[in-house]
Amino acid sequence: MALNIKRAAVLGSGTMGSGIAAHLANCGIETLVYDIVPKALTDPQQAQGLTTESPEFRNSIAANAINAMKKSRLAPLYDIDNIELLSPANLEDDFDELSEVDWIVEVVPESLKIKQPLFEKLEGIHRKGQIVSSNTSGIALDEITKGRCPEFCQHVMITHFFNPPRYMHLLELVPGEHTDRKIFSQMSEFARLTLGKGVAVAKDTPNFIANRVGVFDMCIAVQAAVKLGLKVEDVDAIMGKLVGRPKSAVFRLMDLVGLDIAVHVNSNLYEAIPEDPDRETFSDNSLLEKMVNKGILGEKSGNGFYQKDKDEKGNRIFKAIDFESLDYYETQKCELKILKEAKAQDDLGARIRVFMESEDKVGEYVWTVISSTLCYAANRVPEISESIEDVDNAIRWGFNWEKGPFELWDAIGVPYIVKRLKKENRSVPPLVQHLLDQGKESFYCFETHHPYVFNPREMTHNLIERPFAELYLRDCHQNKQVVKAGKMASLVDLEDGVLCVEFHSRANSISSEVISLIHEAIDLAESGQFRGVVIGNQSANFSFGADLKEMAGAVMTGNYQAIDEIVNQFQQTMLRLKYSRVPTVAAIHGMVLGGACEVSMQCDKIHAAAETYMGLVEIGVGLVPAGGGCKEWAIRCNQWAKNAGDASSFAMVNKALEQVGMAKTSTSAFDARKIGYLRPSDAVTMNKNVLLYTAKHSVIQMANQGYVPPLKANDILVLGRGGLAEFKVRLNIWRQGQFISEYDEFLANKVAYILCGGDVMDNSVVTEQYFLDLEREAFVALLKEPKTLARIQHTLKTGKPLRN
Amino acid sequence: MQQAVIVSGARTAVGRSGKGTLQHVRPDDMAAETVKEIVKRTPGLDPAVIEDVIIGTAMPEREQGFNLARIVTLQAGLPVTVPAVTVNRFCSTGLQTIAQGAERIMAGGADVVLAGGVESMSYLPFDASLRIAPNPHLAEKNPDAYLSMGLTAENVAEQYKITREQSDDFSYESHQKAIVAIDAGKFKDEIFALKVQNNNGGVFDTDEGPRRDTTLERLANLKPVFKMGGQVTAGNSSQTSDGAAAVMLMSDSKAKEMNLKPIAIFKGFTVTGVEPGIMGIGPVKAIPKLLSRTKTKLKDVKIIELNEAFACQALAVMKELDLPKDKINVNGGAVALGHPLGCSGAKLTLSLIHELKRQGGGLGIVTMCIGGGMGAAGLFEVPSD
């Protein structure tokens, strides 16, 4: 069972402290935010008449941090209203109140001199059962709790969040020598289910897992680039998405982290690991130090490995640094032939091998960096973690890599790497040798329906026990539960009578193949083979919407009849999602745009991960939602108005138009609920890895309850001409205020036309199919507009919307 | 023809809408208290002799609907025999009612008329929540008929080349003049103390719009509200406000008979139309027409109350008509003091009369632009003692 934490306290309101506090508020936890009492009154405080005794002054550091959450560029809160759960406090006056909370997180500066006395004081007010944790990223827990009694230490552990806490999935949990096992595992469940974090259990060793391996990788990546004389922008072009890492790759990431911070972390780590045979890697910071000495610190100083600038015409340009002279030069688009060759490979391991086999500096670079990091990771278990899986998870969740180091060993090929290491007379990590000695060639394997992973202590493959409520499609694939495999989607048996429609094309786009698979899934369920259908997948994003390429193809041939038919098919399938005899549930996460938003809106129920960005953004590509999206809004507006006892749904339709007409997306699932994309009956799941499980069980529950499909909506009251005139006036005002372009106005008027039920008398009553006809008509007509076609072309080419 | 004179008048102090002292005071209550006060300020008047009550508002709906004027007379306790009519000409409403009453008297249709205006922008905000139910055909043909006032101001600024800096300077001065006037007690006589629940002894008697902490820098930092890259901000627009104002009009013979000394003489009123998209320029047409109809020369006009709907609009009017700056809004304008739409015309008339009196009498003009594309102007004379 997970701990039940109702109230918490965060000690320290700096970047990490306030980020953690905000995330606790996200999870509905009342949180006291502590900081020190400021030294002196500021001028505005004095003008306000505050004295050094006023609580407003004494709590002002924490209060300012809470206030800043409203303005932060990367919103730390799912819903700004949750800020009410946070209250400011100070460590002098409010210390005793700490005994009242269920969990205290220490996020004070990284210094033993501060942490040790604080923990001594905390011991003084500690209440049995209360968790105390430190967010330290480098200091050993045993040092922090030196001199504390074992009773207190039972409740103490490290909870290491990654920045920004809301968005980074990883939480490293580190028990101390005396930490109570039961409390620790309850805390771990709380972190996973309530905080929605991916938990990796680390050992109390310097920098724990992610930063130990990740920092090593960064050091090697910088040093090798300098040694081989590669260009900054070329390295980033290679080391990003193509090798399964985030776009920030190497040097952009360094700029984000801050070069001074990097030097500081590297040298601290160097000092802390006298036994590490690879420690010298952390000591060579010559380039970084040279840059820091010149005041080049990365993003925060405005220049790092990159510098933003403007050319003579005032266009924005990017410059990069020359490692020798430290002068900046204008970057060129990386034109290396190898990039194209790698791109042609769908498989990550194959892509990395393409680079490694390149007989030039690039090949040498990729091989050096990746092989060194993989060997380093293999040499550091079980020292830093008992679990290879935890190491992989930590790197995936903490550094946003597509695969962790051991998964990469498997993907690139253990024998492949070992062969080359031997050829170069480099030592093969003992762990890898053990694996090979047992006749195995991968750290992970799947046998007799179950996943296994190599255990670094027992040196055998042990069964992987997935945490409670985590269900993985990759396990289902391995276990041959695929009912039907398509190119862009598949039908997967989730067991217990639930069938999943899994999208798996590049953007998970919805093509006619996907539509017919949804049809087929409902057919299978209605025929009695399944209880119901889940639409869900476990890619980075749920789906970016309808397949524009397919649409563009039909436009090229001028076959508008065919387009009409495709759209009609889509609409009728959506109606089946809504009215079939079996429950349908959408499990959504990440981007849920356009057609994907329409799919989910028409399922019986949505399970949304907290990080869900959904919206009908069709206007961005010059179209209107035509898969029932406008129709659903109109029906919902009608329903809301009826429920509120309002005679007119105008205010609601106005809200719908603001969303659809401005192509807005939600900033979280909670925001989507506020907007109305999620109904009160839809559910939010904090941990995206639990989503599929909750969706599956929703289907089972609905089926067990005796599923009753909704009644057909055939009496929808619409605003008609009167409402439309009102929107026309408003859109004219937006356009004249230059908030939208002329073509946006034209498109938004089309949306308004549909939402109002077209050119009918005020307060007419229409049917669902009537709306769908309006949607389809508008959609097909827009595909004849040159500006719409220009928008589609632009998006297909660049992935970004065009505002023409 | 009879002469129409004003024998008394009163107004509430102007509150900030949505957050100020009057935010929970109903507009009909505000107006009823004003009516009672004016009856009190007209010695010897038997309310039964009032022949009509003309009260206007720019939003005659909900709390300002149901023939507001009649509701106000009944709430004020006037005899049921006193009739009442509600008038709407948007921002010139308060001047329109006075003109309408005066002209009825001049035409011999009445001897005693109470006229004024009221607006609670707290109760009936003029914002995006407002449903204007436009005519579908007109919305198609001429959507500018329903353009937001802020955008019409942007259009005026662009067309008449008024800069953001000029607007902000003008706005800053408006605040400074208003603060000086309030501190000198210049509005004391026209304002009556309205009973409210506040920390000032339950009395509201001071306009609360002017900001003492405003600076040119603060004004310059505000973002344009109505147009991306535009110049109209919350700081250089009139404030949205709550307030009521009215006057007692009489024929000069009736005033003489009752032994009442006129505080002002109504000299004339004109209203004209302009393109809806540049409504702010309305006074440019209205003032010359007023001068010509009343055969008055601009140089003989001592002061002008030019409603500051937007600083840029006021500046454009001044520029086009070459109005002398020192005669305009000597005690500040709506940017600082607020613009309770339907009340403003009557409020400005009272302020004009009291300022002219301080200056020893003379001629003055009240003028404003009007949503939908109009301009109005009224000429008043304050007799010298």
Side-chain angles (χ1 to χ4, degrees):
Chain A
M1 289 293 284
L3 277 175
N4 188 3
I5 287 174
K6 293 191 272 304
R7 295 187 74 204
V10 177
L11 312 186
S13 68
T15 308
M16 280 312 285
S18 73
I20 293 169
H23 192 63
L24 296 186
N26 282 336
C27 305
I29 298 166
E30 263 182 68
T31 303
L32 294 166
V33 186
Y34 282 76
D35 215 305
I36 54 169
V37 176
K39 287 201 179 74
L41 286 157
T42 62
D43 289 343
Q45 282 171 341
Q46 227 148 13
Q48 260 179 61
L50 298 186
T51 69
T52 50
E53 295 308 307
S54 328
E56 289 95 325
F57 160 72
R58 299 179 71 80
N59 294 339
S60 60
I61 297 181
N64 289 343
I66 295 171
N67 220 17
M69 290 174 193
K70 292 183 207 157
K71 292 172 210 143
S72 178
R73 198 171 53 93
L74 210 55
L77 290 164
Y78 292 148
D79 180 345
I80 201 80
D81 290 347
N82 283 37
I83 210 163
E84 280 170 33
L85 293 169
L86 301 173
S87 334
N90 73 74
L91 287 163
E92 281 177 36
D93 309 330
D94 310 316
F95 202 84
D96 288 347
E97 281 183 34
L98 283 173
S99 66
E100 288 164 26
V101 304
D102 305 312
W103 174 24
I104 301 169
V105 202
E106 170 274 306
V107 204
V108 303
E110 289 282 76
S111 150
L112 260 184
K113 278 190 198 132
I114 303 175
K115 290 189 197 277
Q116 268 174 347
L118 179 63
F119 273 72
E120 189 179 347
K121 272 185 87 181
L122 286 171
E123 186 179 18
I125 54 95
H126 184 255
R127 179 173 54 78
K128 195 173 155 58
Q130 181 182 41
I131 309 293
V132 179
S133 73
S134 171
N135 185 58
T136 180
S137 52
I139 301 179
L141 184 60
D142 287 350
E143 291 288 328
I144 296 174
T145 55
K146 199 177 244 171
R148 305 282 66 76
C149 68
E151 166 94 46
F152 174 66
C153 289
Q154 279 180 2
H155 299 84
V156 182
M157 64 192 78
I158 285 170
T159 49
H160 184 217
F161 286 86
F162 280 66
N163 193 27
R166 166 185 165 180
Y167 297 95
M168 294 303 285
H169 191 56
L170 177 61
L171 177 66
E172 286 178 327
L173 278 188
V174 187
E177 198 189 330
H178 299 286
T179 311
D180 182 278
R181 294 288 124 182
K182 192 171 161 212
I183 293 177
F184 186 80
S185 74
Q186 287 177 334
M187 185 65 185
S188 170
E189 282 301 85
F190 161 78
R192 195 170 65 85
L193 296 174
T194 307
L195 300 182
K197 291 291 146 206
V199 173
V201 176
K203 291 167 71 176
D204 195 8
T205 54
N207 285 25
F208 315 123
I209 304 173
N211 283 342
R212 180 73 171 269
V213 178
V215 168
F216 177 89
D217 178 80
M218 290 305 285
C219 287
I220 285 281
V222 173
Q223 288 158 15
V226 176
K227 199 172 137 209
L228 290 165
L230 291 173
K231 288 203 299 189
V232 167
E233 70 268 34
D234 288 353
V235 168
D236 280 359
I238 298 158
M239 293 298 282
K241 293 271 176 215
L242 285 175
V243 299
R245 299 186 181 198
K247 262 189 357 212
S248 51
V250 176
F251 293 109
R252 216 158 333 152
L253 179 60
M254 289 298 280
D255 280 353
L256 284 172
V257 169
L259 308 191
D260 50 338
I261 302 278
V263 171
H264 182 75
V265 168
N266 297 351
S267 27
N268 272 359
L269 189 53
Y270 178 79
E271 292 303 326
I273 47 169
E275 312 280 310
D276 189 333
D278 293 307
R279 86 188 273 237
E280 288 312 319
T281 305
F282 299 100
S283 73
D284 178 12
N285 293 314
S286 47
L287 173 65
L288 295 182
E289 278 164 359
K290 225 165 67 181
M291 291 171 74
V292 171
N293 287 340
K294 275 191 79 177
I296 301 172
L297 305 180
E299 191 119 288
K300 59 185 157 190
S301 70
N303 57 350
F305 285 101
Y306 292 96
Q307 189 178 36
K308 280 182 203 155
D309 209 344
K310 281 190 177 152
D311 65 7
E312 301 100 55
K313 285 181 210 147
N315 297 321
R316 276 208 346 200
I317 53 165
F318 280 93
K319 289 181 164 181
I321 206 159
D322 179 275
F323 298 138
E324 286 300 318
S325 63
L326 298 193
D327 291 333
Y328 287 93
Y329 60 90
E330 189 174 342
T331 57
Q332 307 273 310
K333 193 169 184 266
C334 179
E335 300 285 5
L336 292 168
K337 217 173 73 213
I338 191 84
L339 293 183
K340 248 200 185 135
E341 283 174 42
K343 262 181 208 158
Q345 300 285 343
D346 271 343
D347 177 70
L348 175 62
R351 262 200 318 269
I352 295 176
R353 281 199 304 270
V354 168
F355 280 117
M356 287 179 164
E357 280 161 19
S358 168
E359 285 177 15
D360 55 7
K361 285 197 277 187
V362 172
E364 199 181 336
Y365 179 76
V366 173
W367 163 252
T368 306
V369 175
I370 293 183
S371 67
S372 305
T373 300
L374 297 196
C375 287
Y376 188 71
N379 283 325
R380 295 278 70 79
V381 288
E383 177 196 334
I384 58 171
S385 171
E386 293 291 324
S387 153
I388 275 172
E389 241 196 309
D390 276 341
V391 174
D392 280 340
N393 284 338
I395 294 291
R396 251 193 290 112
W397 298 334
F399 279 79
N400 287 334
W401 288 17
E402 198 180 317
K403 284 181 189 294
F406 294 98
E407 290 165 331
L408 283 173
W409 272 103
D410 287 0
I412 300 166
V414 176
Y416 177 92
I417 299 172
V418 168
K419 197 172 147 199
R420 187 152 168 189
L421 287 174
K422 284 186 174 156
K423 202 174 117 198
E424 292 176 3
N425 280 326
R426 283 165 62 190
S427 58
V428 175
L431 181 77
V432 177
Q433 198 54 58
H434 278 295
L435 181 79
L436 293 172
D437 289 348
Q438 301 200 4
K440 298 281 167 72
E441 293 190 344
S442 64
F443 286 99
Y444 293 89
C445 61
F446 202 91
E447 276 164 25
T448 56
H449 307 297
H450 293 292
Y452 288 83
V453 64
F454 197 63
N455 182 297
R457 199 168 288 281
E458 295 164 20
M459 298 293 179
T460 56
H461 276 87
N462 289 354
L463 184 71
I464 296 179
E465 280 185 52
R466 299 287 185 214
F468 171 68
E470 291 185 21
L471 170 60
Y472 291 96
L473 285 167
R474 60 172 191 272
D475 289 347
C476 301
H477 280 274
Q478 297 261 28
N479 200 24
K480 307 204 167 40
Q481 287 163 227
V482 177
V483 177
K484 180 160 185 179
K487 222 172 109 222
M488 301 181 81
S490 298
L491 303 185
V492 181
D493 184 349
L494 296 184
E495 299 184 317
D496 302 315
V498 180
L499 183 62
C500 176
V501 183
E502 179 194 11
F503 305 165
H504 48 59
S505 67
R506 211 155 240 195
N508 279 348
S509 51
I510 301 170
S511 62
S512 30
E513 186 203 356
V514 175
I515 294 298
S516 66
L517 277 169
I518 294 177
H519 242 303
E520 214 172 316
I522 298 171
D523 282 343
L524 283 172
E526 281 191 331
S527 75
Q529 296 185 50
F530 292 92
R531 303 190 218 217
V533 175
V534 167
I535 308 210
N537 63 70
Q538 289 173 325
S539 327
N541 293 291
F542 178 75
S543 164
F544 286 86
D547 187 358
L548 285 176
K549 256 189 211 149
E550 193 176 65
M551 213 62 86
V555 173
M556 292 282 262
T557 59
N559 195 346
Y560 294 100
Q561 191 60 44
I563 294 167
D564 192 88
E565 196 36 52
I566 294 175
V567 179
N568 186 40
Q569 275 296 323
F570 192 103
Q571 292 178 338
Q572 296 312 312
T573 305
M574 295 304 104
L575 285 180
R576 284 199 75 197
L577 275 178
K578 196 169 171 183
Y579 296 116
S580 70
R581 295 287 318 164
V582 291
T584 56
V585 172
I588 58 172
H589 66 282
M591 295 289 185
V592 187
L593 305 183
C597 186
E598 294 180 304
V599 168
S600 25
M601 286 174 89
Q602 290 169 93
C603 285
D604 291 310
K605 184 166 182 176
I606 295 176
H607 278 258
E611 297 292 351
T612 292
Y613 319 113
M614 69 190 304
L616 296 172
V617 297
E618 282 83 350
I619 277 197
V621 287
L623 293 168
V624 294
C630 295
K631 173 207 73 169
E632 277 307 303
W633 266 117
I635 293 175
R636 287 181 190 190
C637 290
N638 196 230
Q639 198 56 49
W640 289 330
K642 261 189 209 164
N643 293 349
D646 286 351
S648 159
S649 58
F650 178 79
M652 322 292 180
V653 178
N654 186 41
K655 197 166 121 175
L657 183 62
E658 273 175 21
Q659 289 297 322
V660 185
M662 304 276 258
K664 286 188 185 171
T665 53
S666 68
T667 56
S668 71
F670 295 93
D671 186 45
R673 181 173 278 166
K674 251 189 184 171
I675 295 166
Y677 277 122
L678 294 188
R679 298 154 290 192
S681 55
D682 295 326
V684 179
T685 301
M686 300 305 279
N687 190 328
K688 64 179 180 195
N689 292 338
V690 173
L691 188 62
L692 203 58
Y693 175 92
T694 54
K696 172 184 162 181
H697 283 265
S698 232
V699 167
I700 296 173
Q701 193 188 21
M702 278 191 262
N704 286 346
Q705 285 165 346
Y707 175 71
V708 181
L711 283 180
K712 292 233 160 65
N714 282 332
D715 52 349
I716 308 157
L717 196 67
V718 293
L719 294 171
R721 290 186 194 125
L724 187 56
E726 191 115 22
F727 293 125
K728 196 173 289 265
V729 163
R730 283 174 187 230
L731 290 169
N732 172 52
I733 288 171
W734 288 356
R735 197 253 308 145
Q736 290 205 26
Q738 295 173 8
F739 297 105
I740 55 175
S741 74
E742 212 162 296
Y743 198 59
D744 285 333
E745 182 190 13
F746 170 78
L747 292 167
N749 265 313
K750 293 261 178 197
V751 175
Y753 183 85
I754 302 168
L755 289 173
C756 292
D759 190 17
V760 292
M761 296 289 286
D762 294 12
N763 302 320
S764 298
V765 172
V766 300
T767 65
E768 200 162 6
Q769 184 58 45
Y770 169 83
F771 268 116
L772 293 175
D773 294 342
L774 287 184
E775 286 184 357
R776 212 170 58 249
E777 254 168 52
F779 188 90
V780 175
L782 284 171
L783 280 172
K784 296 175 184 165
E785 295 281 340
K787 283 195 168 173
T788 286
L789 297 177
R791 284 189 178 198
I792 293 175
Q793 291 301 341
H794 184 84
T795 302
L796 281 175
K797 231 168 137 184
T798 64
K800 288 176 187 140
L802 170 73
R803 283 284 142 93
N804 55 356
Chain B
M1 196 164 61
Q2 301 218 58
Q3 206 169 39
V5 298
I6 295 171
V7 295
S8 61
R11 70 170 177 100
T12 64
V14 174
R16 286 189 189 177
S17 79
K19 53 194 165 190
T21 308
L22 297 181
Q23 61 173 320
H24 299 305
V25 180
R26 281 180 62 112
D28 41 8
D29 281 335
M30 248 189 264
E33 292 305 312
T34 308
V35 167
K36 281 182 353 204
E37 176 69 19
I38 291 169
V39 171
K40 230 190 283 173
R41 288 186 181 196
T42 317
L45 180 83
D46 171 7
V49 308
I50 302 174
E51 284 168 278
D52 207 355
V53 173
I54 312 174
I55 286 181
T57 165
M59 295 286 282
E61 340 176 331
R62 290 199 348 230
E63 290 86 352
Q64 295 180 169
F66 210 74
N67 190 4
L68 171 74
R70 181 62 175 165
I71 300 297
V72 167
T73 58
L74 294 175
Q75 171 66 9
L78 297 189
V80 293
T81 51
V82 177
V85 60
T86 307
V87 164
N88 177 17
R89 202 197 287 270
F90 280 159
C91 303
S92 74
T93 297
L95 179 62
Q96 178 69 34
T97 56
I98 293 173
Q100 232 160 286
E103 284 161 357
R104 181 111 66 90
I105 290 168
M106 289 160 82
D111 278 311
V112 184
V113 177
L114 195 151
V118 60
E119 200 77 40
S120 169
M121 297 180 82
S122 297
Y123 274 83
L124 288 120
F126 211 93
D127 60 17
S129 68
L130 182 72
R131 271 203 77 177
I132 49 178
N135 179 298
H137 302 294
L138 186 60
E140 188 75 47
K141 212 166 52 192
N142 186 7
D144 278 5
Y146 300 105
L147 203 59
S148 80
M149 292 303 114
L151 278 174
T152 69
E154 290 286 2
N155 290 344
V156 165
E158 201 177 311
Q159 207 166 319
Y160 294 89
K161 302 197 168 47
I162 306 297
T163 65
R164 164 83 190 257
E165 213 181 357
Q166 288 171 328
S167 282
D168 286 351
D169 285 349
F170 179 88
S171 302
Y172 179 74
E173 281 172 27
S174 183
H175 279 276
Q176 299 314 310
K177 286 187 287 188
I179 290 163
V180 168
I182 287 172
D183 291 348
K186 287 196 177 171
F187 301 126
K188 274 253 154 12
D189 292 343
E190 60 193 76
I191 295 175
F192 73 98
L194 184 71
K195 283 198 183 103
V196 290
Q197 286 179 330
N198 67 2
N199 299 329
N200 184 31
V203 159
F204 182 53
D205 60 4
T206 307
D207 296 325
E208 61 188 10
R211 290 176 183 274
R212 289 177 190 270
D213 57 353
T214 202
T215 61
L216 280 170
E217 201 191 351
R218 277 194 192 184
L219 286 168
N221 280 337
L222 294 170
K223 285 206 180 90
V225 181
F226 304 98
K227 186 174 180 178
M228 298 267 262
Q231 66 143 283
V232 181
T233 68
N236 60 32
S237 307
S238 58
Q239 298 179 24
T240 59
S241 315
D242 307 328
V247 298
M248 187 68 82
L249 290 156
M250 283 187 188
S251 59
D252 54 350
S253 53
K254 182 73 181 174
K256 212 169 275 170
E257 178 196 311
M258 285 185 64
N259 224 352
L260 292 169
K261 200 174 154 220
I263 60 172
I265 303 156
F266 173 82
K267 304 292 283 185
F269 169 78
T270 57
V271 60
T272 57
V274 296
E275 275 297 331
I278 48 163
M279 69 93 205
I281 211 66
V284 170
K285 300 284 176 204
I287 293 175
K289 191 175 165 195
L290 176 76
L291 293 173
S292 131
R293 278 221 172 261
T294 57
K295 300 190 176 57
T296 309
K297 290 204 172 65
L298 187 59
K299 68 173 172 49
D300 296 328
V301 176
K302 259 192 177 167
I303 53 168
I304 298 174
E305 283 291 342
L306 165 59
N307 187 40
E308 297 166 0
F310 298 94
C312 63
Q313 157 273 325
L315 283 164
V317 170
M318 288 161 68
K319 189 169 162 183
E320 283 304 290
L321 293 181
D322 204 12
L323 300 180
K325 197 178 153 194
D326 56 353
K327 285 189 180 179
I328 311 287
N329 302 351
V330 295
N331 296 320
V335 165
L337 290 161
H339 178 20
L341 309 175
C343 156
S344 286
K347 169 191 173 289
L348 294 179
T349 302
L350 281 170
S351 298
L352 179 95
I353 291 170
H354 284 89
E355 180 57 28
L356 279 173
K357 189 180 169 197
R358 275 190 292 273
Q359 296 194 12
L363 289 172
I365 289 176
V366 174
T367 182
M368 65 279 286
C369 57
I370 306 166
M374 289 179 282
L379 183 68
F380 297 89
E381 184 182 356
V382 170
S384 49
D385 284 317

